[in-house]
Amino acid sequence: MKQRFLHIWLIFFIIIFSIFPTLQVHAEKNAEVKNVIFMIPDGFSASYATNYRLYKGKEAVWDTMLVGMHRTYSANTPVTDSAAAATAMATGFKTNNGMISIAPDGKKIKTILEVAKEARKGTGLVATSTITYATPAAFGAHVISRKDESEIAVQYLDNEIDVLLGGGKTYFTSLLESGKQKGYEIVTNKTELSNVKMPQKLLGLFAIEGMVPELDRHLTSEPSLEEMTKVALKMLNQNKAGFFLMVEGSQIDWAGHDNDPAWAMKDIEAFEKAVEIAVDFAKKDKNTLVVIAGDHDNGGMSVGAYDKYDAKLDVLRKVKSSGRYMEMQLDKNRSNAKEILKKHAGIDLTKAEVKRIEQADKPVIAINRIVSERALIGWTTSQHTGVDIPVYAFGPGSELFKGLHDNTDLPKMMAKVMGVNFP
């Protein structure tokens, strides 16, 4: 009898422990989502993801979080710019290229950041461009033209976004005293940022215009995207109601415009470090959703090129400076091109390649094309393309992002998991 009783209890415990993981997963899916961290690698597509995996030599942190894709077209063209793409990702509505969170008919459209603020959540924007550039602007401002960065800066401070970190000092010069009166602590370099004592509001302006490429950051006192993300999360986590934070790896896009593969890979690496900070935060917090999605592709980058079934991304690991920086090191006649490419890219130029740089209308393009050829990376354009973009998600609510979506679906799903009212 006793043996039979023990046998029954043993079966009971086996059943309970076999379903426990399922119960745990279900609980995590239905956990309260107080915080959303939206991370945008600007200009990033599947080809960038593949080349970065080859460059790194192993999977990126987001590879296991791939859940779907999204379409990027704008209201007036199949190929979007960053303003229209970010507007869709911030408001859930399509607009024309160049417009910032304003519909084609001129009406302002409420953003996911503004809705989070109405719910008394903390709000933040982090970017390596000017903080007033198209992508961050779409979450915190409304202007007809993305070029109106001075007005965007005014709207940020009027809306009292809690954390603003990036470049763009020039657009805040006349606003700094007003910012201090509104309670912003203002920091201008890496050391000041690391010494912040957790004020209620923080404005970090680390460059006159955009910040430098990650390849060249060691030449400056600018913080990394990882460091800015870490401080932003500490700041916003003070809000008991939760927060919405947008973090942009802005210069992946700029590298695409320059067709600079080494700059692109290094800035993706910097973005990945910021993602790791966000995911670690979400793992510990248990009620934070992390969403990662580029806004569009840039450059039409290929994996392999020049009639060869191969890719040599290891070439890019030897590159120590951006093409723009290497161009700046050329002398007046560009007679030192061979020395510059050897020093900064580990490349021994042929006589024909030296001549290409010496005779080029834009030496930076010639330099970047030579580096791309060595790495077997091709480019179809120096502008955006209209391909679909990968979507990655981690944390409670991530299952909503499975499948092929429109970019306008992303903020709607974020609002749903946060439980906030969205138009």
Side-chain angles (χ1 to χ4, degrees):
M1 184 72 178
K2 185 177 180 181
Q3 187 176 9
R4 184 182 175 189
F5 179 77
L6 289 172
H7 182 68
I8 291 170
W9 271 104
L10 180 61
I11 293 172
F12 174 76
F13 279 114
I14 288 171
I15 293 171
I16 290 296
F17 282 106
S18 67
I19 67 172
F20 181 76
T22 303
L23 293 173
Q24 187 179 37
V25 168
H26 183 73
E28 287 177 356
K29 283 186 177 181
N30 290 283
E32 178 188 4
V33 178
K34 286 172 59 179
N35 315 313
V36 169
I37 307 170
F38 191 10
M39 308 196 73
I40 302 176
D42 199 305
F44 181 92
S45 62
S47 59
Y48 282 77
T50 306
N51 273 327
Y52 180 67
R53 193 181 306 116
L54 295 171
Y55 170 84
K56 185 179 180 181
K58 58 182 179 179
E59 285 194 341
V61 64
W62 45 72
D63 282 342
T64 58
M65 295 184 274
L66 180 66
V67 289
M69 303 281 285
H70 75 89
R71 296 181 286 252
T72 66
Y73 63 94
S74 68
N76 64 332
T77 174
V79 180
T80 189
D81 80 330
S82 288
T87 294
M89 297 166 86
T91 70
F93 287 91
K94 297 282 187 181
T95 195
N96 296 336
N97 285 0
M99 301 176 76
I100 297 290
S101 291
I102 287 184
D105 63 5
K107 293 180 181 178
K108 292 182 180 179
I109 321 170
K110 188 168 286 188
T111 76
I112 184 71
L113 182 146
E114 290 168 336
V115 168
K117 191 165 187 67
E118 288 175 356
R120 300 187 181 280
K121 292 181 180 290
T123 54
L125 298 172
V126 176
T128 52
S129 60
T130 58
I131 195 59
T132 47
Y133 216 61
T135 301
F139 289 85
H142 306 269
V143 292
I144 292 292
S145 172
R146 59 181 289 176
K147 295 178 181 179
D148 198 356
E149 294 189 59
S150 295
E151 172 59 21
I152 291 165
V154 170
Q155 291 187 30
Y156 282 172
L157 299 191
D158 285 348
N159 295 335
E160 297 193 29
I161 298 170
D162 299 302
V163 179
L164 296 163
L165 302 176
K169 285 180 190 176
T170 189
Y171 303 108
F172 290 85
T173 303
S174 63
L175 303 174
L176 296 182
E177 192 56 42
S178 171
K180 290 176 183 176
Q181 291 174 5
K182 290 176 182 289
Y184 283 93
E185 180 173 334
I186 300 168
V187 294
T188 59
N189 58 52
K190 175 178 178 175
T191 301
E192 290 176 358
L193 180 67
S194 65
N195 291 332
V196 162
K197 301 299 182 185
M198 296 302 108
Q200 291 302 306
K201 297 185 184 71
L202 181 63
L203 174 60
L205 301 169
F206 307 110
I208 299 297
E209 290 283 348
M211 296 172 71
V212 298
E214 181 65 19
L215 276 168
D216 307 329
R217 190 171 59 80
H218 64 282
L219 301 170
T220 74
S221 61
E222 298 177 6
S224 66
L225 187 61
E226 174 189 12
E227 290 163 337
M228 291 191 289
T229 302
K230 191 178 295 184
V231 171
L233 287 172
K234 285 182 180 178
M235 283 273 303
L236 294 174
N237 199 36
Q238 297 176 105
N239 190 319
K240 293 182 180 180
F243 61 81
F244 175 86
L245 172 65
M246 192 289 298
V247 177
E248 184 193 31
S250 318
Q251 299 197 25
I252 301 166
D253 176 67
W254 293 1
H257 281 300
D258 273 17
N259 289 178
D260 188 332
W263 180 3
M265 293 303 109
K266 196 66 176 178
D267 264 83
I268 295 172
E269 181 180 78
F271 180 76
E272 184 182 29
K273 291 177 181 177
V275 170
E276 287 170 347
I277 293 295
V279 170
D280 286 346
F281 177 91
K283 285 178 178 177
K284 293 172 184 174
D285 181 71
K286 305 293 186 188
N287 56 10
T288 296
L289 169 67
V290 180
V291 179
I292 306 160
D295 53 351
H296 53 71
D297 172 63
N298 195 354
M301 174 195 279
S302 70
V303 182
Y306 311 109
D307 299 325
K308 294 185 179 179
Y309 282 29
D310 201 357
K312 297 183 178 181
L313 276 293
D314 55 307
V315 167
L316 303 184
R317 297 189 206 114
K318 299 175 184 177
V319 180
K320 305 301 181 186
S321 303
S322 67
R324 290 186 184 184
Y325 183 81
M326 284 188 267
E327 180 187 52
M328 290 168 58
Q329 305 311 303
L330 295 172
D331 59 31
K332 186 177 180 180
N333 298 318
R334 307 174 194 169
S335 60
N336 61 338
K338 191 173 182 68
E339 292 77 12
I340 294 301
L341 269 289
K342 180 64 175 177
K343 179 180 178 180
H344 294 278
I347 288 175
D348 290 310
L349 293 178
T350 64
K351 289 182 179 179
E353 288 170 335
V354 169
K355 185 174 286 188
R356 281 169 63 184
I357 295 172
E358 290 177 346
Q359 296 178 350
D361 292 334
K362 295 181 178 180
V364 64
I365 299 301
I367 290 169
N368 291 338
R369 285 178 180 168
I370 289 167
V371 174
S372 295
E373 288 164 10
R374 296 297 182 96
L376 297 181
I377 288 176
W379 303 89
T380 63
T381 179
S382 61
Q383 302 300 325
H384 301 174
T385 76
V387 301
D388 295 344
I389 302 297
V391 178
Y392 311 85
F394 176 85
S398 58
E399 69 280 357
L400 289 177
F401 295 82
K402 291 180 180 177
L404 177 61
H405 300 280
D406 201 279
N407 54 6
T408 54
D409 296 329
L410 302 182
K412 296 171 187 175
M413 292 186 287
M414 292 177 204
K416 182 177 180 178
V417 298
M418 280 195 293
V420 296
N421 294 321
F422 199 55

